[in-house]
Amino acid sequence: MSVKFYKSEHQVPLEMHKVRMVQKLSLLPVEERLKKIQEAGNNTFLLQNKDIFMDMLTDSGVNGMSDLQFGAMMQADDAYAGSESFTRVKAAIKEVFGTENVLPAHQGRACENILAEAYVKPGMVTLMNFHFTTTKAHITRVGGVVEEIVDAKGLIPQTDDPFKGDFDLDKLRSRIDELGPDKVAFVRVEAGTNLIGGQPVSLSNMIAVTDICHEKGVKSVLDASLLQDNIYFMKMREARCKYMEIKDIYHLLADHFDIIYFSARKLSFSKGGIITSKDPKFTKEMMEYVPLYEGFLTYGGMDVRTMEALAQGLYESLDMEYINQGPEFIKYLTKELSDYGVPVILPAGGLGCHLDCQAFVPNMPHNQYPAGAVSAALYIIGGIRPMERGTLSEQREPDGTERYAELELARLAVPRRVFTLSQLKYVADRVKWLWDNRELIGGLEWVEEPKVLRFFFGRLKEIGYWQEKLAEKFRQDFGDSL
Ligand code: F0G
């Protein structure tokens, strides 16, 4: 439960931890920020961390580690095979998920590569509430097809629905029947659905999906990378979860899903990746790919210190006073912006606050990349690094035409246990200024467009000279302030 304040304009989240290790930040003047984003091809992935004040690119691999995690890293056991550190990872997985079959990998997408290699054959379809970029890339690379079955409510930017990541269960059932179970590689449920704004899936919906899979003879897979935030929302928003222990929710899910995998860069505040299953049949089917792509079965590409941090971080993901911090900070930032009239994804989800850029710059066509343009603008006016999660993050269709994103989002990720509330207040303040000056934001066009995962290293330039004008207006309004 969060702490209530006696006198405060509205409820403010309170950190239940103290910061013992700090890292210096720098905020460059607006003229230099303008130069840096243009040198980075207007791609926030290509900025240098030293030039960034608020790094809100992602919550992946940048979460605050605890004293107990750092302590655990000191007892790491270096061994090519049979490391004690892996034994401790297995013990943590057993405690948290109740499963004993564990495959290690170097990060979440490596788990996806293994799943795709093991189960996706050319022409097979994987059904999911929504795709994630790396998931889709791995599945299509081996000739599979991705189909999304998210409930229609998930794509409405502003609603008050508590579980926008839910599957449309009728559609799932009828799609499996149409395809026939042999053509379905697996059904993948993404907890805390990333690309639609970190929106949770209800426990009832997850269980219903696994029941359908079971009935139809199709494998069910849970991407648990964002499960920690998702479980927070289950506890807060779903009546049946209110009095359940957090651990019981994890266990129930592991009882129902055939396979669970996650990026430990998110779940467990560390790095690495894990695949686990109750039934050893599944881990056996995937096992041979671990030494082939990752490393031996007792490290899978992870360094031993990482494994120790992962194990300890998993225990911490059972602690409400840790897992509420991200979602409550995100809710605070989202409310600040939405009260001001800035279009944001509602309700607030996990992972970060998401600006709805179709509404932010309504006259900009998809092929001038509105979410990329707003992201570049935020760096110029605030030293803030968002991530584009819109059309730029899509892959072109096989015939080369653009695939326009359902939602044009600029994501302001809030890494767990990292930022202070005043830093979020600064972000809210700069976003409000940009909203008031939004008519100055113009589009982007390609300079270099890679074929695969183009958002990672593609380079773009402004159309016209809107960025110079934006920086000038900032200078007029803020004087000599950074
Ligand atoms: N699944 C989900 C839902 C994710 O959000 C991510 C990564 C992955 C899988 C892949 O995991 O990065 O360890 O290889 N999301 C990061 C992000 C990249 O910024 O949202 P990974």
Side-chain angles (χ1 to χ4, degrees), residues 58 60 107-109 112 132 134 190 194 223 225 263 265-266 387 411:
T58 182
S60 166
Q107 63 185 88
R109 69 201 65 184
E112 293 169 340
F132 183 67
T134 56
E190 186 178 306
N194 190 323
D223 178 346
S225 306
S263 166
R265 300 175 65 84
K266 293 182 191 259
M387 186 191 288
R411 174 175 94 180

Tab-separated table of all heavy atoms in Angstrom, residues 58 60 107-109 112 132 134 190 194 223 225 263 265-266 387 411, ligand 1:
chain	number	residue	atom	x	y	z
A	58	THR	N	14.620	3.316	-22.394
A	58	THR	CA	14.143	1.975	-22.062
A	58	THR	C	14.224	1.708	-20.564
A	58	THR	O	14.901	2.449	-19.827
A	58	THR	CB	14.974	0.912	-22.826
A	58	THR	OG1	14.458	-0.387	-22.520
A	58	THR	CG2	16.437	0.974	-22.480
A	60	SER	N	15.189	-1.381	-19.903
A	60	SER	CA	15.864	-2.662	-20.105
A	60	SER	C	17.341	-2.569	-19.743
A	60	SER	O	18.090	-1.810	-20.374
A	60	SER	CB	15.712	-3.064	-21.580
A	60	SER	OG	16.589	-4.104	-21.893
A	107	GLN	N	19.952	-12.846	-23.284
A	107	GLN	CA	18.898	-11.864	-23.008
A	107	GLN	C	17.586	-12.348	-23.606
A	107	GLN	O	17.528	-13.449	-24.166
A	107	GLN	CB	19.286	-10.456	-23.475
A	107	GLN	CG	19.517	-10.247	-24.953
A	107	GLN	CD	20.008	-8.818	-25.238
A	107	GLN	OE1	21.210	-8.577	-25.193
A	107	GLN	NE2	19.111	-7.891	-25.534
A	108	GLY	N	16.541	-11.534	-23.520
A	108	GLY	CA	15.206	-11.985	-23.915
A	108	GLY	C	15.104	-12.418	-25.366
A	108	GLY	O	14.500	-13.444	-25.691
A	109	ARG	N	15.711	-11.662	-26.261
A	109	ARG	CA	15.581	-11.988	-27.683
A	109	ARG	C	16.296	-13.285	-28.026
A	109	ARG	O	15.978	-13.945	-29.004
A	109	ARG	CB	16.081	-10.831	-28.551
A	109	ARG	CG	17.542	-10.578	-28.504
A	109	ARG	CD	17.876	-9.186	-28.950
A	109	ARG	NE	17.316	-8.183	-28.030
A	109	ARG	CZ	17.390	-6.879	-28.206
A	109	ARG	NH1	17.965	-6.388	-29.268
A	109	ARG	NH2	16.886	-6.040	-27.323
A	112	GLU	N	13.855	-15.799	-27.589
A	112	GLU	CA	12.939	-15.787	-28.735
A	112	GLU	C	13.561	-16.494	-29.935
A	112	GLU	O	12.884	-17.197	-30.679
A	112	GLU	CB	12.588	-14.339	-29.093
A	112	GLU	CG	11.765	-13.689	-27.993
A	112	GLU	CD	11.599	-12.184	-28.148
A	112	GLU	OE1	12.402	-11.554	-28.862
A	112	GLU	OE2	10.647	-11.650	-27.549
A	132	PHE	N	6.133	-7.983	-30.278
A	132	PHE	CA	7.245	-7.120	-29.877
A	132	PHE	C	8.270	-7.177	-31.012
A	132	PHE	O	8.352	-8.171	-31.725
A	132	PHE	CB	7.848	-7.554	-28.528
A	132	PHE	CG	8.927	-6.604	-28.112
A	132	PHE	CD1	8.605	-5.301	-27.772
A	132	PHE	CD2	10.258	-6.968	-28.148
A	132	PHE	CE1	9.602	-4.379	-27.468
A	132	PHE	CE2	11.257	-6.050	-27.837
A	132	PHE	CZ	10.924	-4.754	-27.495
A	134	THR	N	11.550	-7.558	-31.462
A	134	THR	CA	12.525	-8.643	-31.604
A	134	THR	C	11.825	-9.997	-31.780
A	134	THR	O	12.327	-10.864	-32.490
A	134	THR	CB	13.467	-8.707	-30.378
A	134	THR	OG1	12.681	-8.836	-29.191
A	134	THR	CG2	14.329	-7.467	-30.268
A	190	GLU	N	1.941	-11.720	-24.198
A	190	GLU	CA	2.958	-10.776	-23.724
A	190	GLU	C	2.402	-10.023	-22.523
A	190	GLU	O	1.480	-9.224	-22.655
A	190	GLU	CB	3.334	-9.807	-24.845
A	190	GLU	CG	4.478	-8.892	-24.456
A	190	GLU	CD	4.872	-7.960	-25.583
A	190	GLU	OE1	5.158	-8.438	-26.700
A	190	GLU	OE2	4.877	-6.735	-25.348
A	194	ASN	N	4.065	-4.351	-24.394
A	194	ASN	CA	5.028	-3.260	-24.593
A	194	ASN	C	4.544	-2.205	-25.589
A	194	ASN	O	4.405	-1.033	-25.247
A	194	ASN	CB	6.360	-3.893	-25.050
A	194	ASN	CG	7.509	-2.908	-25.065
A	194	ASN	OD1	7.325	-1.743	-25.399
A	194	ASN	ND2	8.681	-3.366	-24.718
A	223	ASP	N	5.470	-14.482	-22.423
A	223	ASP	CA	6.622	-13.578	-22.369
A	223	ASP	C	6.465	-12.780	-21.080
A	223	ASP	O	5.615	-11.894	-20.974
A	223	ASP	CB	6.643	-12.649	-23.593
A	223	ASP	CG	7.816	-11.666	-23.542
A	223	ASP	OD1	8.423	-11.521	-22.472
A	223	ASP	OD2	8.110	-11.037	-24.581
A	225	SER	N	8.649	-10.845	-19.576
A	225	SER	CA	9.622	-9.748	-19.396
A	225	SER	C	9.029	-8.619	-18.559
A	225	SER	O	9.685	-8.051	-17.698
A	225	SER	CB	10.055	-9.198	-20.760
A	225	SER	OG	10.533	-10.235	-21.572
A	263	SER	N	13.080	-11.550	-20.414
A	263	SER	CA	14.294	-10.759	-20.428
A	263	SER	C	14.563	-10.356	-18.997
A	263	SER	O	13.763	-9.639	-18.388
A	263	SER	CB	14.087	-9.498	-21.284
A	263	SER	OG	15.145	-8.586	-21.030
A	265	ARG	N	16.690	-8.367	-18.171
A	265	ARG	CA	17.009	-6.932	-18.194
A	265	ARG	C	15.828	-6.128	-17.645
A	265	ARG	O	15.965	-4.962	-17.319
A	265	ARG	CB	17.343	-6.490	-19.620
A	265	ARG	CG	18.539	-7.232	-20.214
A	265	ARG	CD	18.752	-6.855	-21.666
A	265	ARG	NE	19.106	-5.470	-21.823
A	265	ARG	CZ	20.336	-4.989	-21.703
A	265	ARG	NH1	21.340	-5.816	-21.434
A	265	ARG	NH2	20.578	-3.715	-21.862
A	266	LYS	N	14.658	-6.762	-17.645
A	266	LYS	CA	13.470	-6.103	-17.078
A	266	LYS	C	13.060	-6.831	-15.797
A	266	LYS	O	13.206	-6.292	-14.719
A	266	LYS	CB	12.326	-6.126	-18.102
A	266	LYS	CG	12.613	-5.265	-19.329
A	266	LYS	CD	11.447	-5.290	-20.284
A	266	LYS	CE	11.774	-4.674	-21.614
A	266	LYS	NZ	11.276	-3.319	-21.786
A	387	MET	N	11.991	6.853	-26.656
A	387	MET	CA	12.148	5.895	-27.751
A	387	MET	C	10.923	5.980	-28.653
A	387	MET	O	9.800	5.998	-28.166
A	387	MET	CB	12.271	4.474	-27.225
A	387	MET	CG	12.582	3.481	-28.352
A	387	MET	SD	12.434	1.742	-27.841
A	387	MET	CE	13.872	1.546	-26.809
A	411	ARG	N	7.849	6.884	-26.280
A	411	ARG	CA	7.851	6.255	-24.960
A	411	ARG	C	8.850	6.941	-24.041
A	411	ARG	O	10.019	7.067	-24.393
A	411	ARG	CB	8.220	4.791	-25.143
A	411	ARG	CG	8.388	4.052	-23.854
A	411	ARG	CD	8.641	2.595	-24.121
A	411	ARG	NE	10.054	2.298	-24.164
A	411	ARG	CZ	10.529	1.070	-24.377
A	411	ARG	NH1	9.718	0.071	-24.631
A	411	ARG	NH2	11.823	0.858	-24.370
B	1	F0G	N1	9.885	-9.184	-24.827
B	1	F0G	C1	9.466	-7.972	-24.401
B	1	F0G	C2	8.041	-7.784	-23.993
B	1	F0G	C3	10.370	-6.912	-24.352
B	1	F0G	O1	9.935	-5.728	-23.942
B	1	F0G	C4	11.712	-7.122	-24.748
B	1	F0G	C5	12.662	-6.042	-24.755
B	1	F0G	C6	12.094	-8.391	-25.170
B	1	F0G	C7	11.155	-9.399	-25.199
B	1	F0G	C8	13.484	-8.686	-25.629
B	1	F0G	O2	14.328	-8.725	-24.514
B	1	F0G	O3	15.937	-6.818	-24.828
B	1	F0G	O4	16.455	-8.723	-23.275
B	1	F0G	O5	16.490	-9.041	-25.707
B	1	F0G	N2	12.365	-4.834	-24.653
B	1	F0G	C9	13.308	-3.729	-24.616
B	1	F0G	C10	12.578	-2.419	-24.590
B	1	F0G	C11	14.318	-3.771	-25.702
B	1	F0G	O6	13.269	-1.397	-24.633
B	1	F0G	O7	11.356	-2.358	-24.492
B	1	F0G	P1	15.880	-8.307	-24.598
